[in-house]
Amino acid sequence: SDLQKQEERGELLQPLIFVLLVLCSVLLYFKVSLMDPGFVKPEEEEGEDKGQGVVIPQIPGDIKLRRCGYCLVKQPMRAKHCQLCQHCVRRYDHHCPWLENCVGERNHPLFIVYLSVQLVVLLWGGHVAWSGLYFEQSREWLQHNILLLVSFLLILIFTIVVLLLLASHLYLISCNTTTWEFMSHHRISYLRHSELENPFDQGIILNLWRFFC
């Protein structure tokens, strides 16, 4: 049959890989959106904070951990209370409306993996849509290809958004900072009073190693 011939020629391998990538993207989405991003528990002690990493001597010693006015827990350094999740989140990055969850210490690496897989799927889908287009200046061509053309334009827009989002996160990770710290540097006490612009930066390689490993 035609299906067996296509299998023998290896023509079914690429669609299978694409479907697996889409499935992987969906599973990663649910994993990142449903998992604990690093909520600060009331029973946790101050010294058990695993999100601080190495203590940086340039941070002034008079800056003490404060108690959150909403959930009444002691906030570890780099934690922030999320009004939508109603929790303090360790190494808070941002609240993602697409995931309906915070991106924090625990799910941030998986969030990067999700964006990477999503980008591959979009680039692949865009290539397929583009290869199916042949341009002619006629009304009939537009009527027959309008759906494919709109699909390609939507894929292109989503690709640009995901690419910019992934690039910005990788840049912030390489500097060992978060979106919240980057956007609110002047309002965060341990950054505002620090002698260094970013006291957590330990070099690109070590920053990436500590984040992903």
Side-chain angles (χ1 to χ4, degrees), residues 12 57 64 84 89 100 173 181 188 191 197 206 209 213:
L12 296 180
K64 302 185 183 298
L84 296 174
V89 181
E100 293 188 2
I173 291 167
E181 291 172 340
I188 302 173
L191 295 179
E197 184 176 354
L206 191 56
W209 174 265
C213 304

Side-chain angles (χ1 to χ4, degrees), residues 122-141:
L122 287 168
L123 288 173
W124 197 334
H127 171 72
V128 171
W130 177 262
S131 63
L133 289 171
Y134 58 94
F135 294 96
E136 293 180 8
Q137 293 183 350
S138 66
R139 188 165 182 171
E140 286 187 10
W141 176 88

Side-chain angles (χ1 to χ4, degrees), residues 86-135:
Q86 294 296 312
H87 283 286
C88 287
V89 181
R90 294 176 180 274
R91 202 180 182 277
Y92 175 87
D93 189 87
H94 71 285
H95 183 92
C96 181
W98 173 247
L99 295 172
E100 293 188 2
N101 193 15
C102 281
V103 175
E105 180 184 85
R106 294 191 61 193
N107 63 350
H108 200 172
L110 272 181
F111 178 71
I112 299 300
V113 175
Y114 165 70
L115 288 179
S116 302
V117 175
Q118 192 67 48
L119 181 61
V120 172
V121 171
L122 287 168
L123 288 173
W124 197 334
H127 171 72
V128 171
W130 177 262
S131 63
L133 289 171
Y134 58 94
F135 294 96

Side-chain angles (χ1 to χ4, degrees), residues 58-184:
Q58 288 82 0
I59 297 177
D62 57 346
I63 297 178
K64 302 185 183 298
L65 300 183
R66 69 184 187 91
R67 190 170 293 277
C68 177
Y70 296 97
C71 50
L72 303 178
V73 298
K74 280 189 177 180
Q75 281 188 339
M77 192 170 289
R78 311 190 78 178
K80 182 183 181 296
H81 182 86
C82 176
Q83 297 279 11
L84 296 174
C85 292
Q86 294 296 312
H87 283 286
C88 287
V89 181
R90 294 176 180 274
R91 202 180 182 277
Y92 175 87
D93 189 87
H94 71 285
H95 183 92
C96 181
W98 173 247
L99 295 172
E100 293 188 2
N101 193 15
C102 281
V103 175
E105 180 184 85
R106 294 191 61 193
N107 63 350
H108 200 172
L110 272 181
F111 178 71
I112 299 300
V113 175
Y114 165 70
L115 288 179
S116 302
V117 175
Q118 192 67 48
L119 181 61
V120 172
V121 171
L122 287 168
L123 288 173
W124 197 334
H127 171 72
V128 171
W130 177 262
S131 63
L133 289 171
Y134 58 94
F135 294 96
E136 293 180 8
Q137 293 183 350
S138 66
R139 188 165 182 171
E140 286 187 10
W141 176 88
L142 188 60
Q143 289 178 344
H144 286 89
N145 292 272
I146 185 67
L147 186 60
L148 191 59
L149 187 60
V150 170
S151 299
F152 174 75
L153 292 176
L154 286 174
I155 291 173
L156 181 62
I157 292 171
F158 285 127
T159 301
I160 293 173
V161 171
V162 173
L163 180 61
L164 291 176
L165 189 59
L166 179 61
S168 64
H169 273 275
L170 288 176
Y171 168 74
L172 293 175
I173 291 167
S174 68
C175 299
N176 196 1
T177 189
T178 64
T179 303
W180 171 57
E181 291 172 340
F182 181 79
M183 300 294 292
S184 306

Side-chain angles (χ1 to χ4, degrees), residues 6 10 17 19 35 42 51 54 56 59-60 86 154 158 173 183 188 195 208:
Q6 288 179 338
I17 294 175
V19 171
M35 74 181 295
V54 180
I56 309 297
I59 297 177
Q86 294 296 312
L154 286 174
F158 285 127
I173 291 167
M183 300 294 292
I188 302 173
E195 297 176 3
L208 293 174

